[in-house]
Amino acid sequence: MSSVKDLVDFAVARGDDGYEEARQGIVWQENVPDRFPDVIVKVKNQLEVAQVVQWAAANNLKVSARSGGHAWAASSLRDGGVLVDLSALDSIEVDVESHLARVGPGTKGEQLNGALAPHDLFFPTGHCPSVGLGGFLLGGGYGVAGGKRESCMSVRAVDVVTPQGELIRADETRNVDYYWAARGSGAGFFGVVTSFHLEVYPRPNVGMNLSVTFPLSRWEEALRWSLTISDKLDNDVELYLLIGGYPDSEDPSVINLGVLVAATIFADSEEAALAALQPLKDCPVAEAAIGEAVPTTIEEIYALNDLIDPPGYRYAVDNMWTSAGIDDLIPQLAPIIDNLPSPRSYLLWWLWTADDEETAAVSSPGPSFYSAYAIYEDAADDERAISWVTENMRALEPWSNGVQLNDENLGRRYFRPLSDPKLKKLEELRDKHDGSRRFFSFPGLE
Ligand SMILES: Cc1cc2nc3c(=O)[nH]c(=O)nc-3n(C[C@H](O)[C@H](O)[C@H](O)COP(=O)(O)OP(=O)(O)OC[C@H]3O[C@@H](n4cnc5c(N)ncnc54)[C@H](O)[C@@H]3O)c2cc1C
């Protein structure tokens, strides 16, 4: 039997020198869970991916994939099996005429938009610049300036290594099961994506942002008001409400404790953008501080989100989609806000009204999405932070329609990763294509 070390330049097995350094490097955040793959390999191209999967099959080992390493719960890091690090697969080929880009899964959002900008094109990547496209698109992708359409719905084809180690292309007409699953099944996908073929879009002319802030004690009124104005806002306005710690706009080293409501619009003209943000100017809460609408760019949104969710910290995250009424939710949300585990931690509310299409696995059973983010520095706070996100979201399960996969915490709290019909279909497809379970599935299931 050949060794995997004959197939790739970098492979370390548990116990080898360099194994622990490679394991720590898999994860973006500072807290690396105590899970230990048998082997970690770094691949340079799709042929190596196929060979590694064939080798894993011959040695009866399971496989997990890692692209940008930003999964909050470090889902690529499993116990046992082969972890395939695809971060070097970060090539970008742009076909300007047809508005298509072929992108490696290890590509970061800012790399893609950096390559598209000279052609006046853009793609709705994650809001933080360094999120990998691999996990982001597989998990649905709730992107910047995306107009409330999951970014995976702009995937026109995927190149995939199957559980049998074959390289295939999947799109609307070929290998349709893989195409369906690759658009939204997240860590439940039964293959390795080696390229995404993306539809890309004209870069918007004008971006404007308007923020309204409130004292923390006014969070309930701020949330109620945000829900009211969400009906009056154009569908292209991205609106979120953050309750907890956020960087001061004048001096980002200062962390404010309060409520930040922010709305961003990308439009054809400044006039249209200002008109779209007008409903935020009519805030009836007396303590509100209403800012002026200011021009913004995708690059500035990246920079702001790097301040809200900075690298170099420990993280715990969990979430829910809900259609519950606000009167039911307020008493359940109060313990989250009353017990923020650190100055930077926050609860996020986001309005997202996408229709779940049958053509893809993605499941966004909103219209609202609440996610709790614990951001802290000391390992001694792990237990408190993990418990704050996990137990509070567990208590909200009676009002939850399911979990948003890009912010999942399924290993600690397994709950409806997809809507019931889509999960049933995914598991049928897994039985059909990966009966021997070559690939790890959702955390919490194994
Ligand atoms: C700071 C920060 C900001 C974020 N902002 C957003 C945001 O604005 N919108 C949003 O939707 N999400 C956001 N996320 C969540 C992010 O999209 C997910 O965590 C996503 O999984 C990260 O992708 P990755 O490739 O970097 O992660 P990885 O940890 O490399 O991958 C996550 C999982 O995806 C699967 N996977 C990855 N690549 C492949 C592949 N090529 N083939 C098969 N399976 C694969 C694996 O199961 C893996 O465990 C953010 C995360 C962070 C840390």
Side-chain angles (χ1 to χ4, degrees):
M1 185 63 60
S2 68
S3 161
V4 73
K5 294 179 185 176
D6 300 330
L7 304 175
V8 290
D9 290 343
F10 183 92
V12 281
R14 204 169 170 187
D16 285 353
D17 285 349
Y19 172 89
E20 188 50 25
E21 193 186 345
R23 197 183 75 87
Q24 298 275 338
I26 290 301
V27 180
W28 167 80
Q29 61 273 27
E30 292 298 301
N31 41 331
V32 180
D34 284 341
R35 295 193 294 266
F36 298 89
D38 291 326
V39 187
I40 299 172
V41 302
K42 296 188 184 186
V43 289
K44 294 193 305 298
N45 53 51
Q46 58 184 16
L47 181 64
E48 288 185 356
V49 180
Q51 289 173 334
V52 168
V53 173
Q54 288 163 16
W55 178 85
N59 289 278
N60 198 24
L61 289 168
K62 293 177 91 75
V63 177
S64 70
R66 184 263 193 200
S67 289
H70 274 54
W72 304 102
S75 50
S76 66
L77 208 54
R78 303 295 182 106
D79 276 322
V82 186
L83 192 166
V84 184
D85 182 346
L86 301 136
S87 49
L89 272 62
D90 63 352
S91 62
I92 303 169
E93 296 162 34
V94 186
D95 181 339
V96 177
E97 288 290 298
S98 57
H99 284 195
L100 288 173
R102 182 178 181 174
V103 178
T107 308
K108 317 270 190 212
E110 68 178 341
Q111 284 176 290
L112 176 57
N113 274 323
L116 293 174
H119 307 293
D120 263 341
L121 295 170
F122 101 106
F123 186 78
T125 68
H127 292 71
C128 289
S130 55
V131 171
L133 283 168
F136 170 77
L137 289 168
L138 280 158
Y142 302 87
V144 56
K148 299 201 181 68
R149 189 155 194 253
E150 297 97 345
S151 298
C152 71
M153 298 312 288
S154 296
V155 174
R156 296 286 160 255
V158 276
D159 296 331
V160 175
V161 171
T162 69
Q164 294 71 39
E166 286 167 33
L167 185 61
I168 60 166
R169 179 156 300 172
D171 59 21
E172 245 175 37
T173 56
R174 288 170 289 183
N175 300 303
V176 290
D177 293 348
Y178 284 93
Y179 184 54
W180 182 86
R183 298 196 302 167
S185 68
F189 184 58
F190 45 83
V192 181
V193 177
T194 56
S195 288
F196 293 93
H197 301 252
L198 304 176
E199 182 171 349
V200 296
Y201 300 96
R203 198 172 157 89
N205 289 336
V206 175
M208 299 292 278
N209 183 66
L210 197 154
S211 299
V212 186
T213 55
F214 306 80
L216 188 65
S217 58
R218 294 288 179 233
W219 70 267
E220 182 181 332
E221 289 146 279
L223 181 55
R224 285 183 187 278
W225 169 69
S226 301
L227 281 158
T228 318
I229 55 162
S230 62
D231 289 343
K232 300 178 194 150
L233 290 174
D234 187 288
N235 210 27
D236 283 341
V237 178
E238 185 177 329
L239 175 72
Y240 69 81
L241 173 141
L242 182 162
I243 308 173
Y246 58 90
D248 190 82
S249 56
E250 304 288 318
D251 177 1
S253 66
V254 174
I255 300 301
N256 294 320
L257 186 62
V259 183
L260 168 69
V261 178
T264 311
I265 173 85
F266 287 91
D268 289 338
S269 68
E270 191 174 316
E271 201 183 14
L274 288 173
L277 297 176
Q278 190 56 34
L280 278 99
K281 291 277 189 180
D282 303 325
C283 178
V285 182
E287 292 84 349
I290 304 170
E292 284 307 311
V294 288
T296 192
T297 61
I298 289 169
E299 290 70 25
E300 282 174 5
I301 294 174
Y302 283 155
L304 172 66
N305 281 278
D306 248 355
L307 294 170
I308 295 175
D309 298 329
Y313 282 78
R314 305 175 84 81
Y315 282 84
V317 175
D318 202 348
N319 77 88
M320 70 164 179
W321 288 109
T322 186
S323 47
I326 189 65
D327 289 333
D328 288 335
L329 289 179
I330 291 280
Q332 317 305 324
L333 298 174
I336 302 184
I337 293 145
D338 290 345
N339 297 291
L340 294 166
S342 69
R344 283 182 177 272
S345 298
Y346 61 90
L347 176 75
L348 184 76
W349 166 81
W350 206 359
L351 182 76
W352 194 282
T353 45
D355 288 329
D356 278 351
E357 296 176 35
E358 288 309 309
T359 54
V362 66
S363 196
S364 305
S368 282
F369 159 65
Y370 290 85
S371 199
Y373 301 80
I375 308 175
Y376 57 104
E377 287 176 280
D378 193 341
D381 293 331
D382 279 346
E383 205 175 315
R384 195 159 67 94
I386 290 168
S387 162
W388 177 71
V389 300
T390 311
E391 297 317 320
N392 282 311
M393 285 297 162
R394 200 189 304 285
L396 278 159
E397 281 176 10
W399 295 272
S400 170
N401 297 337
V403 160
Q404 193 264 66
L405 280 181
N406 272 352
D407 282 3
E408 59 86 8
N409 184 33
L410 295 166
R412 300 188 183 106
R413 184 181 72 86
Y414 184 84
F415 187 74
R416 298 191 72 188
L418 297 175
S419 66
D420 291 345
K422 291 195 173 188
L423 185 59
K424 183 166 177 285
K425 175 167 174 175
L426 180 72
E427 293 315 317
E428 284 166 4
L429 296 182
R430 191 187 314 285
D431 286 344
K432 179 174 162 191
H433 295 289
D434 190 14
S436 58
R437 300 293 190 263
R438 183 64 43 228
F439 290 102
F440 285 101
S441 180
F442 294 114
L445 280 185
E446 44 191 310

